[in-house]
Amino acid sequence: MLRRFLGLLLLTALVGCATTGGNPHDPLEGYNRAMFGFNEGVDKAIIKPVASGYKTVMPEFARTGVTNFFSNLRDVWIGVNNILQGKVGAGASDFGRFGINTTIGLLGLFDIASNAGFEKHNEDFGQTLGRWGVGSGAYVVLPILGPSSVRDGLSLLAVDWRGDPLWYVGNIPTRNELVGVRLVDGRANLLDVGRLAEEAALDHYAYIRDAYLQRRRNLIYDGNPPPEPDPDKTSESGHSKDAAARAGTELPPARITTQWGERIITAVDEELTPAREFSEAKSQPASARQEAAGAPGSVYEPRIPYNNDALPVAPGVRTGFAQTNLRP
């Protein structure tokens, strides 16, 4: 019943994400924030107090054993997903972990395999679909289950639960108790992390969302994700839109000259460089100045005065001041 409800919710999110705008990764932000608030309320009222009491009562070595037990059960499904992703060696290692910890480690209470060199992995069918090229879809906050996405949520409800050994426990009360203990134990392990996140984040919802999306992307690519293109700054051809727009409106270098035809300033990229004084320019006699005044050399009008004054420049370029060594 719960899986059907969550599946319907994800299908609604899949349809609604095409019409709801905002953050491209979070088109359902309004709903997600409301559900996030609901989950936070349930956590603070029920789950967190129970987890805090569990952590207080249970000795650390006992809690470690419980965590190891449930972690060991996941190794079989993790191995299956590694093989589906083409990582046969990692999958064989996962099966080896399960065999060692289940036997020598007393049903997984002791993690002997890690000390023997068998690395612990973290895989699920959502990551497998990601490695196959399936997009994550919209970010979705599921009731009680928390952060997810359309891809990961559908994978969880349609496939991943079938790889969970707890769901094959025939006695329903026992199965529910095991699921409850796993939930409380997992929440107890996150008490300190959750407290730090609440204290450090100005927007707790956005912090959890971004952390989840970044973590899932890292898990899919085993900690080495490719650069993610920025849709706001990259065009279809891969070039920067800002650079293209700038190239279309960029002015050619502006050359400003004195009334005698001597260039003193070059404006490049809409920035005026400091005035350049031509010390090699020799002072001209008064008779030569009258002749030079009629020669075409000036670029901008009015002609630059002899002393300090504002320089006329092209439209869109900031005005500046220059001082020359030229005197009347």
Side-chain angles (χ1 to χ4, degrees):
M1 186 67 177
L2 177 61
R3 287 199 303 273
R4 292 179 181 177
F5 169 74
L6 295 178
L8 179 61
L9 176 64
L10 289 169
L11 290 176
T12 304
L14 184 62
V15 175
C17 67
T19 58
T20 307
N23 188 319
H25 298 291
D26 189 8
L28 302 175
E29 185 172 351
Y31 155 79
N32 286 333
R33 284 187 178 273
M35 184 55 65
F36 179 81
F38 170 78
N39 289 346
E40 286 283 286
V42 173
D43 179 70
K44 292 180 180 179
I46 303 175
I47 302 177
K48 187 176 180 179
V50 174
S52 299
Y54 168 83
K55 187 175 182 179
T56 302
V57 174
M58 290 284 287
E60 183 177 358
F61 77 90
R63 287 188 284 110
T64 301
V66 173
T67 301
N68 289 341
F69 172 79
F70 290 115
S71 178
N72 182 59
L73 294 178
R74 294 186 63 243
D75 280 338
V76 175
W77 185 237
I78 290 174
V80 171
N81 280 282
N82 265 325
I83 292 178
L84 291 175
Q85 296 174 29
K87 298 179 287 188
V88 179
S93 175
D94 296 325
F95 295 141
R97 280 184 56 90
F98 178 77
I100 293 174
N101 287 337
T102 302
T103 55
I104 304 177
L106 302 179
L107 299 179
L109 293 176
F110 300 95
D111 187 7
I112 306 298
S114 293
N115 296 328
F118 290 83
E119 182 182 357
K120 174 68 176 178
H121 301 122
N122 187 341
E123 304 289 346
D124 53 52
F125 195 68
Q127 295 180 53
T128 299
L129 291 179
R131 289 301 291 262
W132 290 352
V134 179
S136 63
Y139 173 76
V140 182
V141 179
L142 300 177
I144 306 300
L145 300 179
S148 186
S149 65
V150 173
R151 180 197 64 205
D152 296 339
L154 291 176
S155 300
L156 173 64
L157 300 176
V159 181
D160 279 326
W161 73 273
R162 298 181 182 274
D164 186 356
L166 293 185
W167 293 107
Y168 297 97
V169 176
N171 188 286
I172 295 179
T174 302
R175 181 184 65 190
N176 293 339
E177 290 174 0
L178 290 173
V179 172
V181 172
R182 181 172 63 182
L183 173 65
V184 172
D185 180 72
R187 184 64 182 91
N189 292 333
L190 296 176
L191 286 175
D192 294 335
V193 177
R195 187 179 302 109
L196 291 176
E198 292 176 357
E199 295 175 354
L202 297 177
D203 186 344
H204 193 206
Y205 166 81
Y207 179 88
I208 297 298
R209 177 196 63 199
D210 296 342
Y212 171 82
L213 294 175
Q214 182 178 2
R215 178 176 180 271
R216 291 296 293 180
R217 182 171 170 80
N218 277 289
L219 287 174
I220 290 173
Y221 293 99
D222 297 327
N224 189 26
E228 188 173 9
D230 188 347
D232 294 332
K233 292 185 175 293
T234 305
S235 63
E236 293 181 359
S237 61
H239 299 290
S240 171
K241 291 182 179 179
D242 292 344
R246 182 181 177 127
T249 58
E250 185 174 351
L251 297 174
R255 299 193 308 170
I256 303 178
T257 62
T258 66
Q259 68 183 48
W260 299 288
E262 297 170 336
R263 185 162 59 94
I264 61 171
I265 294 179
T266 298
V268 181
D269 292 336
E270 302 182 1
E271 292 291 340
L272 287 178
T273 59
R276 298 195 307 172
E277 299 182 357
F278 288 78
S279 58
E280 67 274 10
K282 298 181 179 180
S283 178
Q284 301 182 24
S287 59
R289 292 176 188 167
Q290 296 178 357
E291 181 179 354
S298 292
V299 176
Y300 298 100
E301 294 293 345
R303 300 186 184 280
I304 298 176
Y306 300 128
N307 299 318
N308 298 338
D309 206 343
L311 294 176
V313 294
V317 182
R318 294 178 303 184
T319 58
F321 293 85
Q323 180 177 2
T324 70
N325 288 332
L326 302 176
R327 296 291 185 271

